[in-house]
Amino acid sequence: MTKILLVEDHEELWDLMSRRLKRRGFEVVLAHDGQAGLDQAGAEQPDVILLDMNLPVMDGWTVARNLRANAQTARIPIIALTAHAMAGDKDKILAAGCDEYHPKPVDFPVLLEQIDAVLLAAEEKP
């Protein structure tokens, strides 16, 4: 079973997303702030991380950079979930270490396609 770490601080969104992902057969681990997300990534070794960029304690950009800097978590695919949809935001998010970018509000079918794509890309990396 594919394990997804959902790092999201808004209860309505984490509740909705975790239920929908579980119905699709994913195991879902939750973290509600950036530091907890970083800690959970190391402890749980998820297959994919869905990372809100605007988080309390530690923002998503810092989380992504820390994940990439740690050999234990460096290869875990990260999909940024963000309300930042201005020109240049996607480039900044990818530069921070995220593999993909998904603007909010979440388009669940598109997000599922992105999850599949990053999982496939991760399998193909040597």
Side-chain angles (χ1 to χ4, degrees):
M1 179 181 300
T2 300
K3 185 187 299 185
I4 295 178
L5 171 59
L6 174 58
V7 188
E8 172 61 57
D9 62 326
H10 288 96
E11 183 175 1
E12 301 83 23
L13 190 53
W14 89 58
D15 181 56
L16 174 68
M17 296 235 347
S18 64
R19 284 187 287 116
R20 291 188 78 179
L21 289 165
K22 287 175 184 176
R23 279 198 304 266
R24 295 293 180 138
F26 296 105
E27 178 183 350
V28 179
V29 177
L30 295 171
H32 306 302
D33 66 60
Q35 184 62 57
L38 193 60
D39 295 343
Q40 286 283 66
E44 293 286 339
Q45 290 294 296
D47 299 296
V48 177
I49 298 170
L50 302 179
L51 178 63
D52 183 17
M53 300 310 282
N54 292 320
L55 292 165
V57 183
M58 181 186 297
D59 66 45
W61 284 273
T62 305
V63 172
R65 285 190 293 272
N66 279 298
L67 289 167
R68 292 296 176 239
N70 181 334
Q72 185 182 9
T73 57
R75 297 182 60 122
I76 301 171
I78 304 168
I79 299 175
L81 301 175
T82 183
H84 291 276
M86 302 294 287
D89 286 336
K90 181 176 181 177
D91 293 335
K92 291 177 193 171
I93 288 168
L94 296 177
C98 295
D99 297 279
E100 191 56 78
Y101 163 92
H102 190 93
K104 291 180 181 178
V106 173
D107 181 336
F108 198 71
V110 171
L111 181 61
L112 290 175
E113 290 174 9
Q114 289 175 305
I115 291 169
D116 287 343
V118 298
L119 285 170
L120 183 59
E123 287 176 11
E124 294 174 352
K125 286 183 184 176

